[in-house]
């Protein structure tokens, strides 16, 4: 979920560096809720003068006589925090709170195409940040803490416009049987381990990982190197899943469990299936097309009795 600072930008007064401090004084008196005035040169921000700093300096010994008729450039702060209006709330908040104590509560200046666009107060920024964090938290899967369906949908909706992408639909085969034999607590640990594996690998590719629910996951990378990432996921998962079985089941390579008809049968150990859909082989007009391709490929994967991946390259030939 990305909210840009341009969504909460506020109007601000701006003046040129040669504006007399007497005029600044009048602007603050006429606009009692204004915390700071932005100094611009050619409509590019070069400084800021805050109400507190302005009157502290004017109120110092000889300050009024020394500064009141002189330009604001003598009093302005040149150390300002500027962001393009498309910057995310989260990024802006982190950098704003990393400032020194003297600038911590100064307004953040927002630009658009390098031109002054407006400001954001720290109060407004932090309130919006808290709201975003709350919404994100409510969208996370409680077991893995990964983004859930609402955030996943936002990422998928944006894919058709991406220059390069590969989306991996991932699920675990024979996981229900594992739960039946070993119990839900150990089943949850398998899900959490799978989430950790996917996160660790996707991080290397600046990818996104979401938890659709149950034993279904999604990974999005903005690249076409899916062979490498799929091989890595399968290798690490197959090594890891062996630690979740007792030696007897590992040696056999299966567990005995009842099928839906109540008949005992040999069920293979848990494996991982990956359906890879990439715009390397086909341009997609909509997110629905991507999902439809993934659904077809996923069925092909599930028919293979071991960990595997299949891409939409086969469907596009």
């Amino acid at each position: 979920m990305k909210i840009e600072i341009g969504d909460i930008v506020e109007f601000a007064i701006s003046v040129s560096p040669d504006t007399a401090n007497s005029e600044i004084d009048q602007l603050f008196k006429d606009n009692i809720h204004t915390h700071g005035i932005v100094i611009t040169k050619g409509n590019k921000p070069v400084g800021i003068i805050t109400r507190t700093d302005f009157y502290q300096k004017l109120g110092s010994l000889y300050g009024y006589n020394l500064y009141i008729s002189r330009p604001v450039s003598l009093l302005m702060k040149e150390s300002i925090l500027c962001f393009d209006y498309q910057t995310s709330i989260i990024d802006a908040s982190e950098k704003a709170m990393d400032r020194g104590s003297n600038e911590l509560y100064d307004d953040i200046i927002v630009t658009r195409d390098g031109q002054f666009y407006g400001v954001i107060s720290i109060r407004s920024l932090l309130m919006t940040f808290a709201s975003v964090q709350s919404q994100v938290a409510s969208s996370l899967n409680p077991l893995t803490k990964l983004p859930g369906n609402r955030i996943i949908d936002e990422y998928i909706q944006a894919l058709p416009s991406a220059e390069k992408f590969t989306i991996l639909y991932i699920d675990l085969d024979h996981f229900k049987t594992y739960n039946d034999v070993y119990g839900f607590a150990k089943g949850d640990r398998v899900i959490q381990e799978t989430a950790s594996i996917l996160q660790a690998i996707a991080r290397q590719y600046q990818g996104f990982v979401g938890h659709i629910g149950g034993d279904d996951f999604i990974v999005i990378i903005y690249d076409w190197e899916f062979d490498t990432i799929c091989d890595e996921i399968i290798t690490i998962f197959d090594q890891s899943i062996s630690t979740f079985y007792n030696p007897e089941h590992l040696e056999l390579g299966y567990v005995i469990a009842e099928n839906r008809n109540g008949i005992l049968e040999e069920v293979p150990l848990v494996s991982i299936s990956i359906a890879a859909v990439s715009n390397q082989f086909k341009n997609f007009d909509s997110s629905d097309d991507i999902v439809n391709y993934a659904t077809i490929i996923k069925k092909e994967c599930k028919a293979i009795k071991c960990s595997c991946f299949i891409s939409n390259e086969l469907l596009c030939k």
Side-chain angles (χ1 to χ4, degrees), residues 155-156 159 165-168 206-209 218-222:
Y155 273 84
I156 295 176
L159 283 182
F165 75 80
T166 301
I167 182 168
L168 310 177
Q206 291 77 52
F208 165 81
V209 182
I218 195 167
V219 174
I220 296 173
I221 57 171
Y222 298 93

Side-chain angles (χ1 to χ4, degrees), residues 94-158:
E94 290 175 351
K95 290 182 174 62
M97 300 314 296
D98 196 40
R99 294 183 293 181
S101 57
N102 290 337
E103 292 86 30
L104 189 58
Y105 297 103
D106 291 354
D107 289 343
I108 293 171
I109 298 173
V110 181
T111 60
R112 185 169 187 172
D113 298 326
Q115 303 293 299
F116 176 61
Y117 190 62
V119 299
I120 300 173
S121 68
I122 289 298
R123 179 178 181 275
S124 176
L125 181 69
L126 294 183
M127 287 182 64
T128 306
F129 175 78
S131 175
V132 169
Q133 292 294 82
S134 176
Q135 292 178 53
V136 169
S138 69
S139 299
L140 299 182
N141 184 282
L143 179 61
T144 60
K145 308 305 180 188
L146 288 174
N149 287 325
R150 185 171 69 180
I151 299 177
I152 290 171
D153 286 344
E154 291 179 5
Y155 273 84
I156 295 176
Q157 292 289 335

Side-chain angles (χ1 to χ4, degrees), residues 91-284:
D91 289 344
S93 298
E94 290 175 351
K95 290 182 174 62
M97 300 314 296
D98 196 40
R99 294 183 293 181
S101 57
N102 290 337
E103 292 86 30
L104 189 58
Y105 297 103
D106 291 354
D107 289 343
I108 293 171
I109 298 173
V110 181
T111 60
R112 185 169 187 172
D113 298 326
Q115 303 293 299
F116 176 61
Y117 190 62
V119 299
I120 300 173
S121 68
I122 289 298
R123 179 178 181 275
S124 176
L125 181 69
L126 294 183
M127 287 182 64
T128 306
F129 175 78
S131 175
V132 169
Q133 292 294 82
S134 176
Q135 292 178 53
V136 169
S138 69
S139 299
L140 299 182
N141 184 282
L143 179 61
T144 60
K145 308 305 180 188
L146 288 174
N149 287 325
R150 185 171 69 180
I151 299 177
I152 290 171
D153 286 344
E154 291 179 5
Y155 273 84
I156 295 176
Q157 292 289 335
L159 283 182
S161 61
E163 180 181 356
K164 289 184 178 181
F165 75 80
T166 301
I167 182 168
L168 310 177
Y169 278 83
I170 299 164
D171 76 348
L172 305 184
D173 305 316
H174 318 300
F175 179 70
K176 180 183 182 302
T177 299
Y178 183 90
N179 262 344
D180 292 342
V181 174
Y182 284 88
F184 287 105
K186 289 190 174 181
D188 284 349
R189 286 173 52 204
V190 171
I191 295 298
Q192 290 170 329
E193 176 68 6
T194 303
S196 296
I197 291 169
L198 297 178
Q199 284 180 292
I201 295 173
R203 194 177 296 121
Q204 302 172 39
Y205 300 85
Q206 291 77 52
F208 165 81
V209 182
H211 189 175
I212 298 170
D215 62 340
D216 293 315
F217 295 87
I218 195 167
V219 174
I220 296 173
I221 57 171
Y222 298 93
D223 205 326
W224 292 335
E225 299 297 323
F226 59 88
D227 292 58
T228 302
I229 190 171
C230 289
D231 283 337
E232 194 172 352
I233 290 170
I234 289 170
T235 299
I236 297 176
F237 178 85
D238 285 349
Q239 291 172 350
S240 179
I241 196 64
S242 64
T243 65
F244 290 88
Y245 283 95
N246 63 38
E248 178 187 356
H249 289 149
L250 277 179
E251 184 176 353
L252 290 171
Y254 60 83
V255 299
I256 302 296
E258 289 186 356
N259 61 23
R260 293 180 179 178
N261 298 319
I263 300 172
L264 291 175
E265 63 179 4
E266 298 176 1
V267 180
L269 305 186
V270 174
S271 57
I272 192 167
S273 291
I274 307 173
V277 178
S278 170
N279 65 346
Q280 179 180 7
F281 312 110
K282 172 181 167 55
N283 291 322
F284 293 92

Side-chain angles (χ1 to χ4, degrees), residues 15 17 28 45 75 119 189 257 282 316:
V15 299
F28 276 130
L75 301 182
V119 299
R189 286 173 52 204
K282 172 181 167 55
C316 297

